[in-house]
Amino acid sequence: LCGHGETAAREIAQRIVDEVAELSLPHAASLDHQHVSVSVGAVTQLPPVVSSYDAIVRQADSALYSAKHQGRNRCVTLDAQAAA
C-alpha cells in the first residue's frame, strides 16, 4: 500500500476481511465453510524504495499464503524493508 506504514496497512487489510465476513455471502461451493471469506497479504514500503516491484509482489504473495496457512479469513502484512 503506497504511502502507508505497516500499522495502517494492517488496519485497511483487516477492515477488508471484516467487511467481507459481515456480508455473510453463502459459499455454495464449499463443504467446510458456510460463508465466503477472504485472506489478504499486504506489503508496505516507505521511501526510499529499495526493493524492486517484483520483489514487493513476491513478498505480498508470501504474506497472502501465510494468511491462508494460518487458517484463512485473515490478513498478514509485512514491511518490505524489514523483510529485506
Side-chain angles (χ1 to χ4, degrees):
L1 294 167
C2 186
H4 294 281
E6 188 176 2
T7 300
R10 184 176 296 114
E11 290 172 0
I12 293 166
Q14 188 61 53
R15 192 169 3 156
I16 293 167
V17 170
D18 293 343
E19 288 184 12
V20 170
E22 287 176 18
L23 293 172
S24 296
L25 300 171
H27 195 319
S30 176
L31 299 175
D32 299 325
H33 304 285
Q34 226 176 345
H35 297 101
V36 172
S37 66
V38 295
S39 296
V40 178
V43 173
T44 59
Q45 185 169 31
L46 299 175
V49 176
V50 294
S51 298
S52 70
Y53 291 113
D54 288 338
I56 293 170
V57 170
R58 283 193 303 272
Q59 290 172 331
D61 190 53
S62 176
L64 172 60
Y65 279 93
S66 179
K68 289 181 177 186
H69 290 309
Q70 291 179 32
R72 300 180 182 250
N73 197 36
R74 68 187 65 237
C75 64
V76 171
T77 58
L78 300 172
D79 180 317
Q81 283 94 341

